[in-house]
Amino acid sequence: MLTILEAINLSSEYLEKKGIEESKRNAELLLCRILGCDKLYLYLNFERPLTAEEISGLRELVRRRGSREPVQYIIGNVEFYGLEFKVNGSVLIPRPETEILVEAVINDSKEKKCRILDIGTGSGNIAVALAVNMPYSEITAIDISAEALLLASENAAANKCLDRINFIEADIFTECSELIKKFDIIVANPPYISEMEFSILQPELRIYEPKSALSDNSDGLSFYRRIAVIADKLFEGKGKVYFELGAGQAEEVYRILSLNGFLNINMVKDYQHIQRIISGEKN
Ligand code: GLN
């Protein structure tokens, strides 16, 4: 017979041996998933014995985490901008840095009636967070992955904004006639990891997250170049782009935007003082 406390300790030791950071937090999250409870319940019930079924369920999840599958995929959801999102292996796990991108757009245009294009929507985290917080916005969210779009629409429905977002399967490297002259804001957290950096990523990302969401299989800048070049076609009149940046890309992306005629280029740092968001305007 194993109690909650013993199960946490054993799982956490196992994960630590496997080289998992924050092994105790991981063990607790997995046990919460099995018991359908929150952390407080665990702490208040350390002596509660687990059933044989709960133990075997936990053992399976701990084994998956031990083989480096991200805890968010195992649990199946993640919080982003105070909202709940389902995630699976077909989408990038939303990151806290991306909340800074969402915040920048909301701060600039919260009360405006604007038409926003979210390029590479993945789980729909950016599109949904904008729809929920910008009551007058109309949002189009595109992705090349049909599986991602399916999950993104489920996330929109769960957050009660499915009617505010138009999901389209599209590839911005093709003609995209359905997107021409429709928008005043473009947002993207593009796949900005270069081919070289990709090969040295930790296994959680390299093996489990979709490669097409992480890397452009090139120098990491292709999406910034492409969007900067086609932005004029996508904007109806004036327009503004907001991008998330990879560490160390600020200077290059600044150059790409200014070469393509963007003005008032502005950057925002993340919690680690890395230039993380860049925006620029077209008049
Ligand atoms: N828009 C999603 C996010 O910011 C997915 C981005 C991506 O797949 N590169 O998390």
Side-chain angles (χ1 to χ4, degrees), residues 28 40 45 52 56 106 119 123 125 164 174 220 227 233 247:
E28 289 173 351
L40 184 63
N45 294 277
S56 70
I106 295 175
I119 297 177
S123 65
N125 55 325
R164 305 264 316 285
T174 66
I227 297 169
K233 283 196 202 150

Side-chain angles (χ1 to χ4, degrees), residues 124-257:
N125 55 325
I126 296 176
V128 169
L130 293 177
V132 167
N133 290 284
M134 297 174 68
Y136 310 109
S137 63
E138 269 172 41
I139 297 169
T140 298
I142 66 169
D143 206 288
I144 52 163
S145 157
E147 272 175 294
L149 288 165
L150 188 65
L151 187 67
S153 23
E154 279 179 39
N155 281 325
N159 286 292
K160 303 198 170 36
C161 58
L162 185 56
D163 56 333
R164 305 264 316 285
I165 308 175
N166 183 15
F167 290 101
I168 303 177
E169 192 176 329
D171 174 358
I172 53 147
F173 288 92
T174 66
E175 207 179 322
C176 295
S177 46
E178 69 273 44
L179 305 175
I180 304 295
K181 297 231 172 290
K182 292 237 167 80
F183 305 100
D184 8 64
I185 294 177
I186 297 173
V187 288
N189 174 21
Y192 53 61
I193 294 173
S194 70
E195 183 70 40
M196 249 170 45
E197 289 168 315
F198 183 81
S199 59
I200 52 165
L201 286 178
Q202 60 197 52
E204 277 85 348
L205 286 85
R206 189 166 38 78
I207 300 172
Y208 289 97
E209 293 197 89
K211 187 174 184 196
S212 59
L214 290 165
S215 172
D216 64 350
N217 299 316
S218 171
D219 64 352
L221 297 166
S222 346
F223 281 78
Y224 303 112
R225 284 194 207 97
R226 173 69 181 167
I227 297 169
V229 168
I230 63 169
D232 277 338
K233 283 196 202 150
L234 305 175
F235 290 141
E236 199 204 340
K238 291 201 291 187
K240 187 160 180 178
V241 297
Y242 296 81
F243 292 135
E244 179 168 325
L245 297 167
Q249 290 177 324
E251 212 175 303
E252 266 305 306
V253 178
Y254 189 105
R255 226 172 61 86
I256 292 169
L257 287 179

